[in-house]
Amino acid sequence: MFAAVPAVPFHQDPPLDPEPPFVICENQRYALCAAASCFVYNGVAYCECDVLKGDSISLQLDFSTGTGQENVCDVNAQGKTNGFMVSTFSLPADVVKGGSEAVYTCPGGGNKGSGVAAPVAYGQCDGGLCFTSTTNKTFPGFVGKLHKEIICSCPISTDATPLSSNAFGYQVFGPYHPQAAVGNRCDASGCAACSVANPTANGSIIPVGAPTGAGKFLTQRLTGSVPDLNECLCECPANGPCTVREDTTP
């Protein structure tokens, strides 16, 4: 997902086009990595992402060419017949309230409760390049063949990465059990992803993430509204894995 966005959703009606530096790629095939897990090798996160078609949003990631300026949408369009696509963002359907996934908040200094701020370690996949040759193939770190998924290469955000977190931490996606009893719907594995041991070591599995509020902000920019989501707040002790603190689903 993304780095430099507010920590809370944007509640006013958006303009017809997203404000710079964002751009909407209309009716394109794209890789959705927001809920992906990633295999770390040689300092790069290789993430198992879904392939979708429709509207998505991204940082513009523009650059100059011999014929003028291009951005992420141009790059993605070129990939259609050249064996690649770009990772951009839309809201994963399964995190909408009642679905089988949730947004897990790995806490920062402003919401750490009686614990500490979560260590920052996630794949930052906005603009990541993905190669269609990986579909229907095996790939290190993932069990069995990929089916409709695609592998995208993404940089790893850590505590040393500027804007990788904010006062309310960062967010990842994980499983949710909407039919379970109240208090048992958040899954321990979702919060455990906030504290992966040795996250940059070869062979580690880390989540894709973004600063808290990024997903809602971008969804507002893309669609004009944000539905109620399954949401879980984690707490991280000074030593040991992060655990579920509270189900904050509205």
Side-chain angles (χ1 to χ4, degrees), residues 10-214:
F10 190 86
H11 293 292
Q12 299 176 5
D13 291 335
L16 293 178
D17 295 313
E19 294 180 2
F22 302 103
V23 63
I24 291 174
C25 300
E26 297 182 355
N27 196 32
Q28 289 187 349
R29 184 185 64 165
Y30 63 99
L32 177 61
C33 298
S37 60
C38 311
F39 171 78
V40 175
Y41 188 72
N42 197 26
V44 177
Y46 294 93
C47 306
E48 182 183 15
C49 304
D50 294 321
V51 177
L52 300 181
K53 185 176 181 181
D55 295 348
S56 64
I57 189 169
S58 172
L59 290 170
Q60 291 193 29
L61 302 173
D62 55 340
F63 60 97
S64 297
T65 71
T67 57
Q69 290 289 111
E70 294 190 0
N71 63 24
V72 64
C73 301
D74 300 309
V75 174
N76 194 43
Q78 292 166 23
K80 183 176 180 180
T81 56
N82 289 292
F84 68 90
M85 67 184 72
V86 180
S87 168
T88 53
F89 178 79
S90 63
L91 184 70
D94 286 344
V95 303
V96 174
K97 186 175 180 179
S100 60
E101 292 188 339
V103 180
Y104 285 79
T105 298
C106 305
N111 58 348
K112 63 184 180 180
S114 60
V116 300
V120 179
Y122 60 80
Q124 197 296 104
C125 281
D126 181 44
L129 287 177
C130 322
F131 296 93
T132 57
S133 60
T134 58
T135 299
N136 294 316
K137 302 292 193 304
T138 59
F139 197 89
F142 301 101
V143 177
K145 280 188 177 182
L146 305 181
H147 296 289
K148 296 180 180 180
E149 300 84 9
I150 191 170
I151 296 296
C152 299
S153 55
C154 306
I156 300 172
S157 287
T158 68
D159 291 292
T161 307
L163 304 176
S164 60
S165 184
N166 56 41
F168 301 102
Y170 63 97
Q171 292 174 318
V172 301
F173 291 84
Y176 188 77
H177 310 285
Q179 303 305 318
V182 174
N184 294 312
R185 295 175 181 174
C186 298
D187 195 286
S189 66
C191 286
C194 301
S195 53
V196 175
N198 301 315
T200 60
N202 287 343
S204 291
I205 302 295
I206 62 173
V208 169
T212 294

